[in-house]
């Protein structure tokens, strides 16, 4: 469960296309994902497209405090825990489109505790909500898409205390197909989206937007 990992850290861009990754990621080590966009901030030139990720030890493709990236037409085959993950809660306006995520040995066989998370099991697992999910396919995972805001209602990592996840608005969700998952296909978990005043990095600038009515 200790494979290689690839990442871009803090600045620059990642343009990763039509590559194959096998036996990658490092279980229970934060940041050790097969493909990792790490705190790049706005990155409209970041593209992860057409790749095949096979047998990932934990979240195969992670978008972490990065905005405006494109994750498109990738195949994730047997990723333990999660396929695609938005990590801290401030990730915004990334397009996650036409990806295929499959657990070939059937529901629950790809479920695993990772980084102390026992319940975080989904093809697409969002802590950052304001991202676009378009025409993805998820099959035979524990959940298809899970917007798990209640797991970190005020964010985690570098966004802890700077975001209000359960009130964050969704991006576009359109044309996704989920089948043969053990629990939910689309699980919008206790989300109450609002118009929130945020800065360019997704941090709340007016906490009154997140207060109870």
């Amino acid at each position: 469960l200790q494979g290689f990992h690839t990442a871009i850290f803090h600045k620059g861009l990642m343009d990763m296309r039509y590559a194959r990754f096998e036996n990658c990621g490092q279980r229970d080590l934060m940041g050790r994902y097969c493909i990792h966009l790490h705190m790049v901030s706005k990155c409209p030139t970041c593209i992860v497209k057409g790749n095949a990720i096979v047998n990932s030890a934990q979240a195969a493709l992670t978008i972490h405090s990065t905005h405006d990236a494109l994750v498109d037409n990738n195949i994730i085959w047997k990723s333990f825990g999660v396929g695609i993950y938005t990590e801290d809660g401030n990730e915004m306006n990334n397009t996650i489109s036409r990806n295929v995520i499959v657990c070939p040995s059937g529901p629950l066989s790809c479920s695993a505790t990772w980084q102390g998370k026992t319940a975080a099991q989904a093809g697409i697992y969002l802590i950052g909500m304001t991202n676009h999910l378009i025409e993805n396919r998820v099959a035979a995972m524990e959940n298809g898409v899970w917007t798990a805001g209640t797991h970190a209602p005020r964010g985690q990592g570098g966004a802890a205390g700077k975001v209000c996840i359960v009130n964050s608005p969704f991006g576009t969700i359109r044309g996704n197909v989920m089948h043969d998952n053990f629990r939910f296909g689309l699980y919008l978990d206790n989300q109450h989206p609002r118009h929130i005043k945020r800065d360019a990095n997704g941090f709340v600038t007016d906490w009154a937007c997140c207060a109870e009515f």
Side-chain angles (χ1 to χ4, degrees):
L1 299 176
Q2 299 296 311
F4 71 95
H5 61 102
T6 66
I8 177 174
F9 288 88
H10 302 292
K11 64 175 74 173
L13 65 92
M14 175 183 282
D15 193 326
M16 185 82 74
R17 308 192 200 200
Y18 306 109
R20 182 181 175 98
F21 302 77
E22 295 183 4
N23 304 316
C24 48
Q26 298 176 10
R27 179 79 58 80
D28 292 330
L29 294 180
M30 187 174 290
R32 300 301 189 257
Y33 312 113
C34 296
I35 301 177
H36 184 193
L37 299 171
H38 178 80
M39 294 187 168
V40 192
S41 298
K42 289 177 68 70
C43 193
T45 53
C46 284
I47 298 173
V48 180
K49 182 173 182 176
N51 302 288
I53 302 174
V54 180
N55 196 26
S56 171
Q58 59 179 3
L61 199 162
T62 297
I63 303 169
H64 180 194
S65 196
T66 297
H67 322 294
D68 301 308
L70 175 65
V71 174
D72 181 68
N73 268 296
N74 301 284
I75 296 175
I76 298 174
W77 182 265
K78 195 175 183 180
S79 179
F80 286 95
V82 168
I84 296 174
Y85 176 35
T86 58
E87 185 168 353
D88 276 359
N90 63 314
E91 297 82 14
M92 297 192 303
N93 301 320
N94 299 289
T95 298
I96 300 169
S97 56
R98 301 176 200 67
N99 301 285
V100 177
I101 303 166
V102 180
C103 181
S105 45
L108 299 183
S109 62
C110 290
S111 296
T113 299
W114 57 286
Q115 295 179 26
K117 297 175 173 59
T118 56
Q121 317 288 336
I124 301 174
Y125 181 75
L126 302 184
I127 299 297
M129 301 299 167
T130 311
N131 297 287
H132 309 302
L133 306 182
I134 300 171
E135 297 178 3
N136 298 284
R137 305 290 186 263
V138 179
M141 296 291 285
E142 186 167 331
N143 296 282
V145 174
W146 189 357
T147 63
T150 54
H151 286 187
R154 286 292 184 264
Q156 57 189 11
K162 301 176 182 178
V163 293
C164 54
I165 304 302
V166 294
N167 299 126
S168 295
F170 293 121
T172 298
I173 301 177
R174 182 184 71 240
N176 301 284
V177 176
M178 314 289 148
H179 66 86
D180 294 310
N181 298 291
F182 182 74
R183 298 184 72 227
F184 299 97
L186 176 62
Y187 187 11
L188 307 179
D189 184 6
N190 289 295
Q191 291 298 123
H192 308 281
R194 304 177 184 174
H195 293 294
I196 295 175
K197 294 180 181 179
R198 296 179 283 185
D199 65 17
N201 207 32
F203 298 143
V204 174
T205 58
D206 181 359
W207 281 96
C209 298
C210 300
E212 294 185 8
F213 293 107

